[in-house]
Amino acid sequence: NAGVTQTPKFRILKIGQSMTLQCTQDMNHNYMYWYRQDPGMGLKLIYYSVGAGITDKGEVPNGYNVSRSTTEDFPLRLELAAPSQTSVYFCASSYEPGWQPQHFGDGTRLSIL
Amino acid sequence: EDKVVQSPLSLVVHEGDTVTLNCSYEVTNFRSLLWYKQEKKAPTFLFMLTSSGIEKKSGRLSSILDKKELFSILNITATQTGDSAVYLCAVVGGADGLTFGKGTHLIIQP
């Protein structure tokens, strides 16, 4: 019963480096989401996808890119890491219609130094 | 701008107490309100509320929505140390589709 799987769990990057946060789900959900959670704050939506080949910006998309080539995978890319991107990143998925109760991965804790 | 405000931001009570967590919102085109519990890692779903006045209940937890006054409450009775967590409220609707509050950090002392 894997659900939503995120890798890596932790990562430290230097300013200006790039990396991809991986997210995969095995529940055949059409909707997938990326959030960031800063200390003492709620979750902020970065990007979401309503199906393979379709992505849309959320509240805080700047500095990030996503792709959705398959139903299962929804990677998040940071091209030029900045200290402001230090955060915990959560991937989630849900059944249609969108925004229904979401299943979350365990998160990736990312530090940019 | 869409807004979801949770109160209190933190709360410390003793085991056995009853707590009430609040979530107020200003979101255009409201569709539903969700409550999540977040312990050390991923949020886990508790309730989804779409209609006013209908209580959702799961064990010692219950929640209700007031769409006229734009708020929801989450009640936990006979609290246990395992209830210690951050409780997140999220509202579906508005420009971004889904807006989370900052959460209420609940600590249950034995």
Side-chain angles (χ1 to χ4, degrees):
Chain A
N1 223 18
V4 178
T5 302
Q6 290 184 238
T7 56
K9 291 190 181 346
F10 306 96
R11 184 74 185 267
I12 298 174
L13 284 182
K14 293 183 180 177
I15 294 171
Q17 285 186 321
S18 301
M19 80 160 293
T20 299
L21 281 63
Q22 301 291 345
C23 175
T24 187
Q25 52 94 7
D26 62 359
M27 296 173 282
N28 204 33
H29 287 170
N30 281 324
Y31 285 68
M32 295 187 75
Y33 317 83
W34 273 106
Y35 296 93
R36 59 177 287 172
Q37 186 176 35
D38 299 327
M41 304 293 284
L43 282 75
K44 290 190 181 291
L45 183 66
I46 306 171
Y47 271 96
Y48 66 99
S49 168
V50 302
I54 306 169
T55 62
D56 279 297
K57 295 178 181 179
E59 185 183 354
V60 290
N62 291 342
Y64 306 95
N65 277 304
V66 292
S67 60
R68 185 94 183 271
S69 56
T70 66
T71 299
E72 294 78 20
D73 299 307
F74 191 40
L76 177 72
R77 180 135 182 102
L78 284 71
E79 290 293 349
L80 289 170
S84 61
Q85 294 177 305
T86 293
S87 190
V88 180
Y89 291 84
F90 287 100
C91 178
S93 70
S94 67
Y95 288 115
E96 289 189 288
W99 314 119
Q100 298 300 315
Q102 298 174 16
H103 298 260
F104 284 81
D106 285 340
T108 294
R109 186 174 294 275
L110 182 62
S111 295
I112 316 294
L113 304 176
Chain B
E1 184 186 335
D2 299 321
K3 225 173 3 177
V4 176
V5 178
Q6 292 187 244
S7 63
L9 290 180
S10 65
L11 184 59
V12 181
V13 300
H14 288 102
E15 211 168 13
D17 288 349
T18 293
V19 298
T20 298
L21 311 183
N22 302 292
C23 175
S24 64
Y25 62 90
E26 292 177 28
V27 171
T28 55
N29 300 317
F30 172 90
R31 289 170 57 187
S32 61
L33 186 145
L34 307 167
W35 283 99
Y36 288 88
K37 177 183 182 182
Q38 185 177 24
E39 296 176 88
K40 288 186 180 167
K41 292 186 178 177
T44 53
F45 170 73
L46 294 174
F47 297 112
M48 183 171 76
L49 303 159
T50 54
S51 302
S52 267
I54 299 175
E55 186 183 54
K56 292 278 182 97
K57 199 169 168 65
S58 176
R60 296 175 294 102
L61 277 67
S62 64
S63 183
I64 198 160
L65 174 67
D66 186 327
K67 288 168 75 173
K68 184 179 174 189
E69 300 297 330
L70 308 183
F71 77 92
S72 173
I73 60 172
L74 175 68
N75 276 324
I76 309 175
T77 59
T79 52
Q80 303 171 357
T81 54
D83 295 326
S84 295
V86 175
Y87 290 83
L88 296 168
C89 170
V91 175
V92 180
D96 297 318
L98 182 65
T99 305
F100 276 84
K102 292 183 179 180
T104 294
H105 189 190
L106 177 63
I107 296 173
I108 312 296
Q109 291 182 336

